[in-house]
Amino acid sequence: MRVGANLIAGIGLSVFFLALAGVSLVWTPYDVTLLVVGDRLQPPSQAHWLGTDHFGRDILSMIMVGARTSIAVALIAVGVGVIFGVPLGLFAAAMRGSLADEIVMRGNDLVFAFPALVIAILITAIFGPGAVNAIIAIGIFNIPVFARVARGAALSVWTREFIMAARLSGKGSAHISFEHILPNIANTLIVQATIQFSLGILAEAGLAYVGLGAQPPQPSWGRMLAEAQTMIALAPHVAIIPGLTIVLMVLGLNLFGDGLRDYLDPRLRERRP
Amino acid sequence: MAVFVLKRLASLLASLLFASLAIFLVLEVLPGDPAAFMLGLNAAPDTVAALREQLGLTAPLPQRYFGWLAGMTVGDFGISYTYRVPVSDLIGARVQVSVPLAAYALTLSTLIAIPVGAIAASARNTPLDAGIMGMTQLGVALPNFWFAMLLVLVFSVGLRWFSAGGFPGWDDPFAAMRALTLPAVALALPQAAILARVMRSSLLDTLDQEYMRTARAKGLSQGQALRRHALRNALIPVLTIMGLQFSFLLAGAIIIENVFFLPGLGRLVFQAISARDLVVVRSVVMLLVFAVVTVNFLVDFTYALVDPRLRRPVS
């Protein structure tokens, strides 16, 4: 089976940004807390590959450390969605047609009515802004997504013969859900996780941009954009570089997700939105 | 049809009730004493007591919740603690910016996405299709607020065609629309990318249906069959996605308002958060949720109008 170009490009971009975040843990070209006002708004040069911002901070170093914030927030939010959403979806599928199924699904619809931004507004109004609140807001938004996908995928597995065999051997619903259903819907869940990861990166950037996410001095791509906004006419690179970074990271994850889906289930390749 | 509408209406009301309860509990119970929270640490006890009185916090919790609900049904959202004016006045002024912005963006996004998606589908597996799909892939990855900044850089700073921000009010509708154009484009294009992809895949599905083969066998050309039969059927999933996108557009509008300094709901709610004005936060959040839930109800309703099969009860 051929590995698609999408998948390769997606893996390449995703690994690049993960590596960037990883390297920033031990090394960055400059200290991101170092303010050198004399060097402010420098264009890209040999000393500063991506230039400097209005405080003279090295943009490449900030992008590297910012990658850590974005990836951590989006990844943990996916984790929250999976940990709470998948068992809910499996439970609803196991109880399909019952009142419990109905309650879980209506609860899902209800959470769906709250966009991540609205949840973030509610949480921030009480607890103040911060990266943790961004995780909670995006995580809560992810729960119904995973519950719905898990339920849908699980329902079709429940009709298969080997599940019948498992039931005849006396296994209970919970046992079957985790031992037989979950491994069979793992592919679907992994693809969904990639999509939610990329949506999480976008959402984190948006929240940080409006001041509901990571707070100074913690670098974050969204906040870099917020700070660059007033200087866009003066030094466009300060706004262009963080934005382009977000686009490439999200594009990488989307290509990775699409490629993975095609690789795991090539039959419907042409049809997908 | 009547049963279908009544059932959906009941579930709409239930959703709104639960959502209001969730918002009420988060903002009234989590901070402990909302009055003390809103005034901060250094407030004098008698000031807190006065605000408690003003906010009606002396009443028991259920009475406050139902009082809030009853007020909202007649358009009374309470008095803003920072602005000292009715919240409904504050919201009324802001809605005139945010809602037209979201609607403008939705219109643009639909006008772009449907033809683009249809062209990609009818040119399937050609370089044109691949090019369109590549562009949409890029559009999906675009943060709208960053795209907005690029638009400002090109069309305001560079070409000077539009102002970089601000809103002149609706007295001059032409100037108002002009001020909303860049924000609407910034909001619309990333959404159009998603919608065009849905349109393409939905049209590809209908192109293989038997009624399409029948239409071709009757002597219609591919283009005629597409226009007369496939398009209408392909629009059904597109409509659903448009409903879901409305909540993203509204959230996006709130963020985009920051780029263009537009006096909309977003600016109001972010100022309210920093001023700890929970009365305003609660009302704006409830309004946003109300908009999302209601639009999805309308989509379901339209869906049933377009496709009679969906009105039948599911066994």
Side-chain angles (χ1 to χ4, degrees), chain A residues 85-168:
Chain A
V86 171
L88 267 177
L90 288 176
F91 170 74
M95 312 288 288
R96 59 204 168 279
S98 72
L99 183 65
D101 177 22
E102 186 68 19
I103 290 173
V104 170
M105 293 321 285
R106 289 292 81 79
N108 263 333
D109 290 347
L110 185 66
V111 180
F112 242 23
F114 289 82
L117 179 75
V118 171
I119 302 175
I121 288 173
L122 274 177
I123 298 172
T124 313
I126 301 302
F127 299 108
V132 176
N133 295 341
I135 292 174
I136 298 174
I138 304 169
I140 291 179
F141 181 74
N142 279 341
I143 294 173
V145 175
F146 280 101
R148 208 172 273 201
V149 169
R151 179 179 178 273
L155 280 180
S156 68
V157 181
W158 270 102
T159 59
R160 306 260 291 270
E161 276 124 14
F162 65 90
I163 299 295
M164 195 69 86
R167 296 184 80 149
L168 286 174

Side-chain angles (χ1 to χ4, degrees), chain A residues 117, chain B residues 144 187 247-257:
Chain A
L117 179 75
Chain B
N144 51 24
L187 268 174
S247 68
F248 286 100
L249 275 177
L250 214 55
I254 283 176
I255 292 179
I256 289 282
E257 281 166 13

Side-chain angles (χ1 to χ4, degrees), chain A residues 125 209 229 239 258 270-271, chain B residues 37 125 137 146 200-201 208 259:
Chain A
Y209 171 74
Q229 193 181 326
D258 282 359
E270 191 187 52
R271 294 299 153 77
Chain B
F37 175 83
N125 295 333
Q137 189 70 264
W146 179 63
R200 174 184 176 274
S201 80
D208 286 348
V259 183

Side-chain angles (χ1 to χ4, degrees), chain A residues 110 113-114 117-118 125-126 205-206 209-210 225 229 232 239-240 243-244 246-247 250-251 254-255 258 270-271 273, chain B residues 15 18 27 31 37 124-125 137 140-141 143 145-146 149 153 197 200-201 204-205 208 251 258-259 270 285 289 293:
Chain A
L110 185 66
F114 289 82
L117 179 75
V118 171
I126 301 302
Y209 171 74
V210 290
L225 283 173
Q229 193 181 326
I232 193 157
I240 290 174
L244 214 51
I246 298 170
V247 172
V250 173
L251 186 67
N254 285 344
L255 289 175
D258 282 359
E270 191 187 52
R271 294 299 153 77
Chain B
S15 299
F18 275 109
L27 293 180
F37 175 83
R124 88 170 106 170
N125 295 333
Q137 189 70 264
V140 172
F145 58 94
W146 179 63
M149 286 186 204
L153 191 62
R197 291 174 81 87
R200 174 184 176 274
S201 80
L204 284 182
D205 277 342
D208 286 348
N258 270 3
V259 183
F270 293 130
V285 165
V289 171
V293 175

Side-chain angles (χ1 to χ4, degrees), chain B residues 93 96-97 100 104 162-183 260-264 267:
Chain B
Q96 293 176 21
V97 179
Y104 193 175
F162 294 92
S163 72
F167 186 71
W170 284 103
D171 294 336
D172 179 357
F174 180 74
M177 286 303 277
R178 197 181 151 105
L180 292 183
T181 297
L182 284 190
F260 294 94
F261 305 100
L262 295 175
R267 297 284 298 283

Side-chain angles (χ1 to χ4, degrees), chain B:
Chain B
M1 187 70 186
V3 176
F4 172 85
V5 173
L6 282 179
K7 262 185 149 172
R8 290 292 301 132
L9 208 57
S11 105
L12 168 82
L13 287 177
S15 299
L16 287 176
L17 267 183
F18 275 109
S20 65
L21 191 62
I23 294 167
F24 178 81
L25 288 179
V26 168
L27 293 180
E28 292 259 329
V29 177
L30 275 189
D33 180 358
F37 175 83
M38 284 159 77
L39 290 170
L41 285 175
N42 300 320
D46 51 334
T47 326
V48 177
L51 184 63
R52 283 181 65 85
E53 196 68 43
Q54 188 205 323
L55 294 175
L57 293 178
T58 40
L61 214 57
Q63 194 183 326
R64 269 150 55 196
Y65 171 66
F66 287 110
W68 176 51
L69 275 192
M72 280 194 299
T73 54
V74 293
D76 175 13
F77 290 86
I79 307 286
S80 157
Y81 136 76
T82 39
Y83 294 89
R84 311 266 172 205
V85 292
V87 177
S88 50
D89 292 357
L90 290 172
I91 290 179
R94 280 11 180 237
V95 160
Q96 293 176 21
V97 179
S98 299
V99 170
L101 174 57
Y104 193 175
L106 190 65
T107 313
L108 279 181
S109 144
T110 313
L111 287 180
I112 298 167
I114 289 178
V116 167
I119 291 169
S122 43
R124 88 170 106 170
N125 295 333
T126 63
L128 180 65
D129 180 25
I132 291 176
M133 290 304 276
M135 290 294 288
T136 57
Q137 189 70 264
L138 204 62
V140 172
L142 212 56
N144 51 24
F145 58 94
W146 179 63
F147 184 48
M149 286 186 204
L150 295 186
L151 290 176
V152 168
L153 191 62
V154 175
F155 294 101
S156 306
V157 178
L159 298 170
R160 297 180 182 278
W161 288 357
F162 294 92
S163 72
F167 186 71
W170 284 103
D171 294 336
D172 179 357
F174 180 74
M177 286 303 277
R178 197 181 151 105
L180 292 183
T181 297
L182 284 190
V185 171
L187 268 174
L189 279 194
Q191 297 295 326
I194 300 172
L195 209 57
R197 291 174 81 87
V198 175
M199 179 67 200
R200 174 184 176 274
S201 80
S202 163
L203 201 54
L204 284 182
D205 277 342
T206 53
L207 285 178
D208 286 348
Q209 296 288 322
E210 279 168 12
Y211 58 75
M212 284 299 288
R213 222 176 306 153
T214 312
R216 293 298 306 277
K218 263 186 353 189
L220 294 185
S221 73
Q222 176 74 16
Q224 283 170 323
L226 192 94
R227 276 188 298 277
R228 280 193 214 163
H229 298 281
L231 267 179
R232 184 180 301 190
N233 283 292
L235 281 177
I236 294 175
V238 174
L239 204 61
T240 316
I241 300 295
M242 276 171 68
L244 289 175
Q245 279 195 336
F246 181 77
S247 68
F248 286 100
L249 275 177
L250 214 55
I254 283 176
I255 292 179
I256 289 282
E257 281 166 13
N258 270 3
V259 183
F260 294 94
F261 305 100
L262 295 175
L265 284 176
R267 297 284 298 283
L268 178 69
V269 79
F270 293 130
Q271 279 162 2
I273 288 176
S274 31
R276 298 188 168 193
D277 192 338
L278 295 186
V279 184
V280 171
V281 173
R282 181 176 77 176
S283 314
V284 175
V285 165
M286 189 62 219
L287 197 71
L288 292 175
V289 171
F290 176 81
V292 171
V293 175
T294 312
V295 165
N296 284 326
F297 164 76
L298 290 176
V299 166
D300 274 2
F301 181 67
T302 326
Y303 212 97
L305 276 183
V306 180
D307 189 346
R309 283 171 297 183
L310 294 164
R311 286 176 227 156
R312 285 188 214 129
V314 183
S315 54

